[in-house]
Amino acid sequence: METRRHTSKQYETDLQEVKENLLYLSALTQKAIEDSIQALLDRDSDLARKVIASDALIDKLDDEVEEKCIRLLALRQPAARDLRFITTAIKINGHLERIGDMAVKICEKVVLLNEEPQLKPYIDLPRMAEIARSMIRASLDALVNEDVELANRVRREDETVDSLNEQIFRELLTFMMEDPRTIHRALLIMQISKTVERISDHAKGIADMVVFMITGKNVRHQWPHDEEAAPGQKET
Amino acid sequence: MRLERKMKGRLFYKILATYLILVILVIAVMEFFLTPRVRDTITRGVMDRMTGHARIMALMSMDELLAKVGELAAGAGARITLINPAGKVLADSSEHDQKMDNHLNRSEVQEARIKGLGTAIRYSRTLQQNMFYVAVAVREKDRLQGYVRLARSLAEVSLSIEYLYRAIYLTLFIIAIPSLLLAFVFSRNIVSPIRRLTELTQRIRAGETPPPMLADSDDEIGRLIQDVNFLLEQQQEKIRYATAEKSKLEAAFDGMVEGVLTLDGDNRIDQFNRGLRKMIGKKRAEILGKTPLEVFRSADLQAALIRFRETGETIQQEITLGADRPLILNANISAIKGYPGNEGKIMMVFHDVTRLKQLERMRMDFIANVTHEIRTPLTAIIGYIETLQQGTVHDREQTDRFLRTAYDNARRLNRLVDDLLTLSNIETGEAKMQFREVNMAEVIGEVGKTMASQAAARQIALEEDIPTPLPPFYADRDRVFQILLNILDNAIKFTPPGGTVRINATGDDGGFLVVRISDTGIGIPKQDLPRLGERFYRVEKNRSRESGGTGLGLSIVKHLMAAHGGRLEIASTPGEGTTVSLYFPAAGPPGANTRP
């Protein structure tokens, strides 16, 4: 996108601003995820409440990006790559906003969990959250650098998170079967785990849109490993 | 090359044309001013001579004239006509007299009849060309005898003028050849230095620094060359100066430990130093021309930047980059003011405060931990003693139990204070170390025996794998015992029943005697590994205290290993187990052999 030049400087600036806002939004959501997991690990309800409060900024930015994109569509009537970029931006914006909401959801559960003693040390959950967070970052990297390869890597990463989620699920199930008193806490942790898994789904959604933006191919309803099997799509 | 030929050609032709125009001008001037005069002069000369001849002939008598008309005509170079007073032609040097008509009406004859001498220029029908006539009256004792008339063609005059001009044109032609040559040489002498000068200036324009040109003459061109040389030198001097200044600044800029960058009006990074590049570990192309958000991806930094743009006040913001090994930076955002050409620019300075933050956290944790560790047993002691004081407990057995608990807690407190003291002594170097030759196999055996009952109680298999003989090494035997005991104690504590703890020693691993203690315990998460040696640091807040530790064990081990000149390495996989490797230098710590 760097090399692209438009006759209108203002148009150029507007597009750049949308990109910057998306990056800001992604940085904010990543921080929200990090903080929510930190709040879980440290049993820090104050931090959790801070994350919940900070969602307002994410929502505000989300509105701004959407408005800017719609205005660009109406005023500039972009074509080809610009059109794809703007529609992609609208979609990514939506995903990021949902991710922000999910961080809030996690924090709400953390506050509830902190009212009871810790059930078990968290090992897989922070790992999972870190993968989900890095997926968001990588998908935005792919957007900025127009890197299809990276976007596809993000899309495959989703499966790792899915399997971690299942693992946590099974583990918590044994806890609940052993001691019914843990059910409430285990369910909360399960919900957190499920939410993290949903975050990674959204990150994959962003990566899908990035692939669409660069190649013009809609891959949203394809599995990444299906493509690998296809000829000419070999991994290096 | 083409330019050179064109230049030479142009100037050459200009000079040549000048010469040619000069020649043509000379000819034109001659044609317009000289020719009529020359023609006049020659004509008049011919006329004067003929008039003279005529006057001389008039002195002769008619008869004499008639007799010698042929000789006279040859002598004078003219045609002679003798006419009687009535106008009848008596004789003619070129024609038969009877054929000629009466000549009295001829203007020269008429003039001679009145004045005695008459001249005329007229077209002769007889000879069909312009002729000059002169007639003189021949008198004898005042009586008119007749007229003698001389005639000569003026074509002769034209011919002599033609001769004259031919000579002049020849001369001019002869002059033109050397003048062409001269023009060539002249133009070459001027063009050549100018051409070299042009080449020089072209190279300067292209950004090169050509060597100065040799000025081989003192004329205008020579002075021009000298001036160009001077300007060239001056320019190079300025460039050298500017480059030196710039490199000085850059050296200072790059030499800074702090990361520095500047943002242009479009929020893009237009300058940064090596410190920044090293700090965030990115390539040049990944920073230059990007926005801070693209480079740092930090929501906190972006928020600070937005705040700065709103308020214009210098802002300090702590940002954390990276997740695995977090980098904590203190960012300082300020405007660049008072430097022309830098309006609207923003400067960001980053200090790496990761280590500082770590230390700060360690200190805070330490104080919190010490307080907590001391308070827990104290609360218990105070609680039980208060209960006993109130005298409500009369049961002997219960009193005993209360006292024992109080005593246990007091002992724990004592242990804690002992550990803290030990740690403090090792740290300050006050602890006296007794370095002697130590048999590691023996020490391991003793430690194993000490821990055997504890391991058995937790149904943990204790395995020793010691090759014999292990090389002896220098160490403080009691301290080594303490180190091994601490590590083994931890391994047993954090291994679930049914697990295995294995002690393994290697004699010589690059000058080190290595003891490895591995367990099949719960393991330690990756992010906790770097902090394990910190005082009171616990992987999980309650895990060590529940198992009765003071939270100082590993810290003491770490410091004791350092006192031995060795080191401690911990590798762990959560859920699979931990391996602690102790590296003792085989020769003991530096200078240990000389100690008592």
Side-chain angles (χ1 to χ4, degrees):
Chain A
M1 261 182 294
E2 260 65 24
T3 50
R4 205 168 47 188
R5 281 283 165 266
H6 292 282
T7 40
S8 162
K9 179 96 166 69
Q10 185 57 44
Y11 186 22
E12 192 71 40
T13 314
D14 286 344
L15 284 174
Q16 177 62 30
E17 223 170 276
V18 169
K19 200 174 90 180
E20 280 282 295
N21 276 344
L22 280 185
L23 284 181
Y24 188 22
L25 203 49
S26 96
L28 285 172
T29 53
Q30 285 176 53
K31 190 173 152 58
I33 296 168
E34 261 171 42
D35 286 351
S36 58
I37 296 302
Q38 200 61 49
L40 173 74
L41 294 179
D42 291 352
R43 299 177 64 81
D44 186 344
S45 295
D46 286 343
L47 184 60
R49 277 187 275 271
K50 226 158 83 187
V51 175
I52 295 170
S54 75
D55 190 51
L57 179 59
I58 293 178
D59 288 345
K60 183 175 151 263
L61 215 58
D62 161 64
D63 287 345
E64 266 178 39
V65 174
E66 194 170 296
E67 200 190 306
K68 210 165 270 167
C69 285
I70 288 169
R71 212 178 33 234
L72 273 175
L73 283 177
L75 290 178
R76 303 284 178 180
Q77 297 181 346
R81 281 160 63 96
D82 290 342
L83 181 62
R84 283 215 294 269
F85 171 71
I86 293 170
T87 48
T88 303
I90 293 175
K91 284 271 193 179
I92 292 177
N93 186 43
H95 281 303
L96 288 172
E97 193 272 331
R98 291 290 298 134
I99 291 171
D101 289 348
M102 289 179 175
V104 169
K105 220 172 254 172
I106 292 174
C107 286
E108 285 165 358
K109 306 287 182 295
V110 167
V111 173
L112 289 177
L113 269 175
N114 286 351
E115 288 165 5
E116 292 178 56
Q118 184 156 2
L119 177 64
K120 69 183 264 303
Y122 305 108
I123 295 163
D124 287 336
L125 201 52
R127 236 171 87 200
M128 199 171 142
E130 174 50 29
I131 294 172
R133 190 201 62 79
S134 70
M135 279 170 73
I136 300 172
R137 174 163 182 150
S139 62
L140 266 290
D141 277 340
L143 173 80
V144 172
N145 303 324
E146 304 206 348
D147 188 341
V148 185
E149 175 48 39
L150 183 61
N152 278 325
R153 255 200 321 267
V154 172
R155 296 174 60 227
R156 284 193 291 276
E157 202 71 69
D158 185 38
E159 286 171 49
T160 317
V161 176
D162 284 352
S163 65
L164 275 172
N165 180 43
E166 278 166 35
Q167 197 175 313
I168 292 171
F169 201 88
R170 279 196 303 271
E171 196 189 341
L172 289 171
L173 212 59
T174 57
F175 268 92
M176 288 192 279
M177 289 191 300
E178 273 174 17
D179 184 358
R181 280 174 303 178
T182 63
I183 288 178
H184 179 237
R185 282 171 286 167
L187 280 177
L188 284 174
I189 297 169
M190 258 184 199
Q191 280 173 326
I192 290 176
S193 169
K194 181 67 194 162
T195 311
V196 173
E197 192 267 328
R198 297 271 294 124
I199 289 174
S200 94
D201 284 347
H202 280 289
K204 178 180 175 288
I206 295 174
D208 287 344
M209 289 313 297
V210 172
V211 173
F212 166 70
M213 189 195 83
I214 303 165
T215 64
K217 221 164 56 183
N218 186 359
V219 290
R220 269 185 295 168
H221 309 296
Q222 280 174 21
W223 291 103
H225 44 80
D226 289 346
E227 289 158 47
E228 273 170 63
Q233 292 270 338
K234 277 237 163 76
E235 272 301 300
T236 47
Chain B
M1 280 308 271
R2 200 163 0 126
L3 174 107
E4 174 192 325
R5 199 174 302 154
K6 224 162 95 190
M7 267 222 17
K8 187 172 174 182
R10 261 191 217 156
L11 251 170
F12 172 69
Y13 286 123
K14 269 183 193 167
I15 293 168
L16 185 67
T18 315
Y19 275 84
L20 285 177
I21 287 167
L22 223 68
V23 169
I24 290 166
L25 213 68
V26 166
I27 294 169
V29 166
M30 276 184 4
E31 197 62 44
F32 284 103
F33 293 96
L34 212 54
T35 310
R37 279 168 205 218
V38 169
R39 189 178 291 274
D40 262 19
T41 312
I42 291 173
T43 311
R44 198 170 301 125
V46 170
M47 278 156 66
D48 284 355
R49 211 166 56 242
M50 277 172 67
T51 311
H53 288 315
R55 279 184 195 279
I56 294 165
M57 282 177 204
L59 296 176
M60 294 161 78
S61 72
M62 208 60 186
D63 296 332
E64 277 173 314
L65 283 168
L66 276 169
K68 294 178 178 171
V69 68
E71 290 159 59
L72 287 169
R79 172 184 153 210
I80 297 171
T81 313
L82 296 172
I83 305 161
N84 73 356
K88 188 177 182 291
V89 176
L90 299 175
D92 190 282
S93 62
S94 63
E95 275 181 76
H96 298 294
D97 37 18
Q98 58 269 36
K99 273 187 189 169
M100 295 174 72
D101 53 353
N102 192 310
H103 267 50
L104 198 65
N105 62 341
R106 299 291 203 279
S107 62
E108 67 275 12
V109 179
Q110 281 294 320
E111 211 187 320
R113 194 173 60 88
I114 299 156
K115 294 183 192 166
L117 179 78
T119 58
I121 292 173
R122 170 154 49 74
Y123 186 74
S124 157
R125 252 171 292 133
T126 332
L127 291 166
Q128 297 185 336
Q129 52 185 297
N130 267 325
M131 301 291 282
F132 174 66
Y133 298 95
V134 56
V136 181
V138 181
R139 286 172 204 273
E140 211 172 298
K141 291 176 188 130
D142 288 337
R143 205 171 55 89
L144 185 72
Q145 297 279 306
Y147 306 96
V148 58
R149 189 192 76 166
L150 275 73
R152 190 168 167 169
S153 165
L154 276 177
E156 278 174 55
V157 175
S158 297
L159 214 64
S160 51
I161 289 174
E162 207 174 288
Y163 277 130
L164 184 70
Y165 271 84
R166 203 169 290 166
I168 291 173
Y169 283 136
L170 195 69
T171 316
L172 282 175
F173 182 66
I174 290 167
I175 290 171
I177 289 170
S179 73
L180 274 178
L181 224 73
L182 218 66
F184 182 73
V185 172
F186 190 46
S187 68
R188 230 189 49 179
N189 280 350
I190 293 180
V191 166
S192 163
I194 290 180
R195 198 187 63 218
R196 285 194 291 141
L197 209 57
T198 315
E199 271 171 21
L200 188 80
T201 49
Q202 293 267 332
R203 281 177 69 186
I204 296 171
R205 260 180 64 172
E208 290 175 50
T209 50
M213 224 172 112
L214 202 69
D216 41 13
S217 66
D218 236 1
D219 57 9
E220 286 87 342
I221 288 175
R223 279 208 299 278
L224 182 60
I225 290 172
Q226 281 167 12
D227 284 352
V228 169
N229 281 344
F230 176 71
L231 287 176
L232 182 65
E233 201 183 312
Q234 215 176 29
Q235 185 207 20
Q236 279 169 359
E237 183 56 41
K238 270 182 194 159
I239 290 173
R240 265 198 297 277
Y241 179 74
T243 313
E245 283 299 300
K246 195 169 170 249
S247 103
K248 257 192 256 174
L249 276 177
E250 267 174 8
F253 194 51
D254 268 351
M256 286 169 76
V257 184
E258 286 79 16
V260 182
L261 66 81
T262 59
L263 289 179
D264 63 14
D266 287 335
N267 192 36
R268 293 191 177 277
I269 297 168
D270 65 348
Q271 249 185 316
F272 60 92
N273 68 351
R274 201 184 307 152
L276 182 84
R277 223 173 51 199
K278 269 163 107 179
M279 199 177 268
I280 60 175
K282 287 201 178 212
K283 289 194 218 79
R284 219 183 138 67
E286 291 173 313
I287 305 174
L288 200 68
K290 306 274 189 220
T291 60
L293 204 49
E294 282 172 323
V295 175
F296 294 95
R297 293 293 178 80
S298 162
D300 290 336
L301 186 66
Q302 184 67 10
L305 201 57
I306 290 170
R307 209 149 24 97
F308 172 77
R309 287 192 198 285
E310 280 167 3
T311 62
E313 282 164 23
T314 301
I315 282 178
Q316 276 214 11
Q317 171 70 43
E318 201 176 282
I319 60 171
T320 307
L321 303 178
D324 273 356
R325 287 181 57 241
L327 183 68
I328 305 168
L329 301 179
N330 198 334
N332 199 304
I333 308 174
S334 58
I336 301 176
K337 280 180 195 148
Y339 290 89
N342 288 295
E343 291 79 10
K345 279 197 180 179
I346 293 174
M347 185 166 196
M348 290 193 189
V349 181
F350 297 90
H351 299 263
D352 187 344
V353 292
T354 313
R355 180 91 195 111
L356 216 69
K357 283 278 150 190
Q358 257 171 10
L359 289 174
E360 193 181 316
R361 197 176 52 185
M362 270 165 73
R363 193 177 49 83
M364 276 164 59
D365 281 0
F366 177 71
I367 292 167
N369 284 326
V370 165
T371 324
H372 184 81
E373 296 294 332
I374 292 174
R375 220 169 98 187
T376 314
L378 268 182
T379 315
I381 294 165
I382 293 166
Y384 283 114
I385 292 177
E386 263 177 4
T387 316
L388 289 174
Q389 264 180 342
Q390 281 160 5
T392 44
V393 182
H394 300 293
D395 185 352
R396 176 81 198 158
E397 206 174 303
Q398 212 171 8
T399 312
D400 269 1
R401 201 159 51 82
F402 276 23
L403 279 172
R404 192 188 315 282
T405 315
Y407 176 69
D408 282 350
N409 275 299
R411 277 196 45 174
R412 183 166 157 199
L413 207 55
N414 194 37
R415 217 166 44 230
L416 183 73
V417 174
D418 275 352
D419 275 359
L420 274 173
L421 266 175
T422 311
L423 203 56
S424 162
N425 283 342
I426 303 165
E427 271 187 339
T428 53
E430 274 173 29
K432 293 279 177 289
M433 308 283 270
Q434 302 289 322
F435 286 96
R436 280 186 305 237
E437 206 178 289
V438 174
N439 183 340
M440 183 54 95
E442 216 179 274
V443 182
I444 293 174
E446 272 177 44
V447 174
K449 254 179 246 156
T450 314
M451 295 306 290
S453 61
Q454 197 181 326
R458 285 181 60 87
Q459 297 168 321
I460 288 165
L462 209 57
E463 291 176 13
E464 284 173 29
D465 177 16
I466 316 294
T468 41
L470 268 177
F473 73 111
Y474 281 87
D476 184 319
R477 198 178 189 284
D478 292 344
R479 303 297 192 189
V480 173
F481 184 85
Q482 194 180 354
I483 290 168
L484 291 176
L485 196 70
N486 264 327
I487 301 292
L488 204 59
D489 183 49
N490 271 345
I492 291 169
K493 252 189 248 167
F494 297 118
T495 301
T500 311
V501 174
R502 189 189 310 269
I503 309 172
N504 159 305
T506 315
D508 189 26
D509 188 343
F512 284 98
L513 193 145
V514 188
V515 180
R516 287 196 179 81
I517 295 162
S518 355
D519 61 49
T520 55
I522 54 175
I524 302 155
K526 198 173 148 204
Q527 66 265 25
D528 290 311
L529 285 177
R531 298 193 60 191
L532 282 181
E534 290 173 26
R535 280 168 285 199
F536 299 117
Y537 186 78
R538 288 190 167 93
V539 173
E540 278 148 50
K541 297 293 172 202
N542 291 316
R543 117 167 169 182
S544 156
R545 203 173 299 120
E546 278 163 9
S547 29
T550 57
L552 291 169
L554 259 182
S555 198
I556 290 171
V557 169
K558 196 177 137 193
H559 282 93
L560 281 176
M561 285 309 292
H564 275 90
R567 66 179 195 278
L568 167 80
E569 277 177 18
I570 303 172
S572 183
T573 313
E576 283 176 26
T578 306
T579 301
V580 179
S581 306
L582 301 162
Y583 288 78
F584 292 95
N593 291 349
T594 58
R595 289 196 191 185

